[in-house]
Amino acid sequence: MRFITFLKYQLTFLIIVSFGLSSWSQNSYTIGENYKTDIKQLSSQPSVAAGLEYILTLEPETRAEHILLNEVPAPPFKEEARAAVFAQMLTNIGVDSIYIDEVSNVIALKRGTKRKRTVCLDAHLDTVFPEGTDVTVQERGDTLYAPGIGDDTRGLAILLTIAKTLNKYNIQTEDDILLVASVGEEGLGDLRGVKHLFRDGGPRIDSWISIDGGDIGRVNNQGLGSYRYRVTYKGPGGHSWGAFGLVNPHHALGDAIARFVERADVYVSEGPRTSYNVG
């Protein structure tokens, strides 16, 4: 039921943004009174109200699609197979146009009535698990278990359900909607799919909504800055027998990590919340 509720919430949020509201409350858990009024008005529209209820009836279908997509492997840098399956599923539902771009992002367009802005609704195709991981879904009661089942295959299932609902009740938005399944979100992917979308000459995007993460009751309204550095250590050692006693770059790197953590812990213990990781 929590999964279904999240689908309903996401559809409401999408409609609110697409009808032209400019921003969400700065507090992730508080909605401004003006937004509450707009939400109430939109939710009371017959097509929207019917659409929110329709999502509940789609639950068995959404669950089946969730499982189907999860069992198409999408390890880092090898998302093409899942991209093809997802694109076909969206095509079957019906969108105004759809294509898979140069890096394997799936991009589908639902045209708005005014087309002055473009709202992007995104979920990522890739999972963090390496090639060869068994992604078969196990069902235990009302819970699905599998690598990648939550992050972010459920986001892809939500995109499909929203598309079906918009079509079923002919819910027209003023703004164009891009339904995007992006690649390269995890690990060394370094957000290559999203970076490609925001390149010079990429598709116009005015607002961005990403469906991801483990907490289905949370809305983040600000981006998190991230700096990434690649550090390489080289040395004559490394072989356990033939190079024993020579300077081993692995040992130097381990010492550097320990020293970094010692210094970094002091830095992040105060001020704005900051984190770090060596991976």
Side-chain angles (χ1 to χ4, degrees), residues 28 45 74 79 85 98 102 115 120 123 140 147 153-154 162 175 182 184 187 191 197 204 222 225 232 240 251 277:
S28 295
Q45 293 185 13
E79 302 97 338
V85 172
I98 187 169
E102 300 87 343
R115 310 199 69 186
C120 181
R140 303 173 197 166
T153 314
R154 73 170 182 181
I162 289 175
D175 301 328
S182 58
L191 297 175
L197 290 170
R204 174 180 173 178
Q222 296 179 352
T232 303
S240 59
H251 297 172
N277 178 63

Side-chain angles (χ1 to χ4, degrees), residues 9 13 16-28 30-36 38-39 117 119 175 206-209 219-222:
Y9 177 77
F13 187 54
I16 290 167
V17 174
S18 299
F19 270 91
L21 299 184
S22 60
S23 64
W24 195 252
S25 170
Q26 289 300 309
N27 186 322
S28 295
T30 302
I31 301 175
E33 291 301 320
N34 57 325
Y35 295 117
K36 289 181 181 179
D38 290 322
I39 291 171
R117 300 195 320 153
V119 177
D175 301 328
D206 298 288
S207 295
W208 180 274
I209 303 171
V219 173
N220 295 322
N221 67 341
Q222 296 179 352

Side-chain angles (χ1 to χ4, degrees), residues 233-240 243-255:
Y233 277 67
K234 297 181 179 180
H239 192 279
S240 59
F244 181 72
L246 298 178
V247 176
N248 189 328
H250 291 83
H251 297 172
L253 179 59
D255 184 57

Side-chain angles (χ1 to χ4, degrees), residues 8-205:
K8 293 181 67 175
Y9 177 77
Q10 285 293 345
L11 177 60
T12 304
F13 187 54
L14 172 64
I15 293 168
I16 290 167
V17 174
S18 299
F19 270 91
L21 299 184
S22 60
S23 64
W24 195 252
S25 170
Q26 289 300 309
N27 186 322
S28 295
Y29 298 94
T30 302
I31 301 175
E33 291 301 320
N34 57 325
Y35 295 117
K36 289 181 181 179
T37 300
D38 290 322
I39 291 171
K40 185 176 181 180
Q41 290 176 348
L42 285 170
S43 298
S44 65
Q45 293 185 13
S47 60
V48 176
L52 294 174
E53 292 304 317
Y54 179 61
I55 287 173
L56 295 176
T57 68
L58 284 176
E59 190 275 334
E61 191 172 318
T62 301
R63 183 184 181 95
E65 290 171 339
H66 191 172
I67 294 171
L68 185 154
L69 283 166
N70 200 85
E71 293 185 344
V72 179
F77 298 97
K78 295 186 177 181
E79 302 97 338
E80 295 87 352
R82 184 178 287 188
V85 172
F86 185 76
Q88 187 59 57
M89 294 169 81
L90 269 180
T91 300
N92 294 342
I93 292 169
V95 291
D96 292 310
S97 65
I98 187 169
Y99 66 98
I100 299 176
D101 70 12
E102 300 87 343
V103 299
S104 295
N105 290 320
V106 179
I107 304 172
L109 171 67
K110 296 282 291 181
R111 292 191 182 92
T113 57
K114 294 187 176 180
R115 310 199 69 186
K116 292 182 178 179
R117 300 195 320 153
T118 300
V119 177
C120 181
L121 188 61
D122 163 76
H124 66 84
L125 281 164
D126 59 317
T127 64
V128 72
F129 303 96
E131 187 175 16
T133 300
D134 184 0
V135 290
T136 304
V137 177
Q138 303 293 326
E139 301 185 55
R140 303 173 197 166
D142 63 353
T143 306
L144 305 177
Y145 295 87
I149 194 69
D151 185 7
D152 188 27
T153 314
R154 73 170 182 181
L156 299 176
I158 287 171
L159 291 183
L160 296 174
T161 299
I162 289 175
K164 292 174 189 175
T165 305
L166 292 175
N167 284 356
K168 173 74 173 179
Y169 292 96
N170 194 30
I171 297 173
Q172 295 293 316
T173 59
E174 292 181 353
D175 301 328
D176 283 352
I177 298 173
L178 284 183
L179 301 173
V180 172
S182 58
V183 300
E185 195 273 348
E186 300 285 5
L188 295 179
D190 198 23
L191 297 175
R192 76 181 194 282
V194 173
K195 289 178 178 178
H196 187 73
L197 290 170
F198 283 96
R199 74 193 186 281
D200 290 341
R204 174 180 173 178
I205 298 173

